Amino acid sequence: MKRLLLFAMMCVSISFVSAQKKFDKVSKVTSSEIRWWGYKVVKTEASSHSGTVKLKSGKFNFDKTVLVDGEFIIDMRSMMAGDVSDEDQIKLTNELKSTNFFEVKKFPIAKFHLTKIIPLANSEYNSTVYGDVTIKGVRKTISFPANVYVTQFTVVVESAKFSLNRRDFKVFYQSSLKDYFIKNEMDIQFKVSTEKLDNDNRVPVKKK
């Protein structure tokens, strides 16, 4: 019986290794910018806040010359409010990092797995990007418009401003009336690239 169990475990291990995808080329992200916006229910300039968060690491995987997917790790501890005075900036940033919102001590990173890019015609953006985002351990499939450029193994992705529902990721006051004054939608916009490109040399992603 022990030998049979050992043989079965070896078979599972071999199957798992065989199933792992080996990519011909991996291009690492070398430049990134991520911005966020949050709003109160009564949306005014004074009741809206914006800021930044940093990419910890990112890469695009290629099969031969075809872009397959992308994997990105966001450092939630780097989150910063950027539209208020110094004293308020510290207060708001600490609040966002607390257990009331993103709980960064417990969930120091967020993830985005880019799974598919569909080219668009006659649009402000040349593609629709699909992927899975994980925040506070909750994973959701999302899509958003973006300009995507691929030249050889160089990739640039410039997203439109798109919305995520913070409640989908358990980002809210646990027991406070304050939460009813905050809009559920938070906006994100980002740009990632494997290297700098001149605008004249950018090539939109092609259909597979």
Side-chain angles (χ1 to χ4, degrees), residues 165-182:
N165 190 317
R166 63 187 177 89
R167 287 188 166 272
D168 287 344
F169 304 96
K170 301 179 182 179
V171 179
F172 52 80
Y173 284 100
Q174 298 299 317
S175 57
S176 175
L177 289 175
K178 291 180 180 180
D179 201 66
Y180 292 99
F181 295 97
I182 303 172

Side-chain angles (χ1 to χ4, degrees), residues 79-137:
M79 180 177 290
M80 183 72 66
D83 64 329
V84 288
S85 63
D86 291 344
E87 185 177 343
D88 289 336
Q89 182 187 56
I90 295 172
K91 183 178 179 181
L92 177 57
T93 298
N94 288 339
E95 181 74 355
L96 290 171
K97 292 180 179 181
S98 74
T99 55
N100 288 325
F101 287 96
F102 291 97
E103 204 170 353
V104 300
K105 285 187 178 180
K106 185 176 180 180
F107 303 98
I109 62 171
K111 300 178 182 179
F112 178 61
H113 179 204
L114 188 158
T115 57
K116 184 168 56 176
I117 300 171
I118 303 297
L120 293 175
N122 303 319
S123 175
E124 180 182 356
Y125 293 91
N126 66 30
S127 303
T128 300
V129 173
Y130 294 82
D132 299 319
V133 62
T134 302
I135 301 173
K136 293 185 70 174

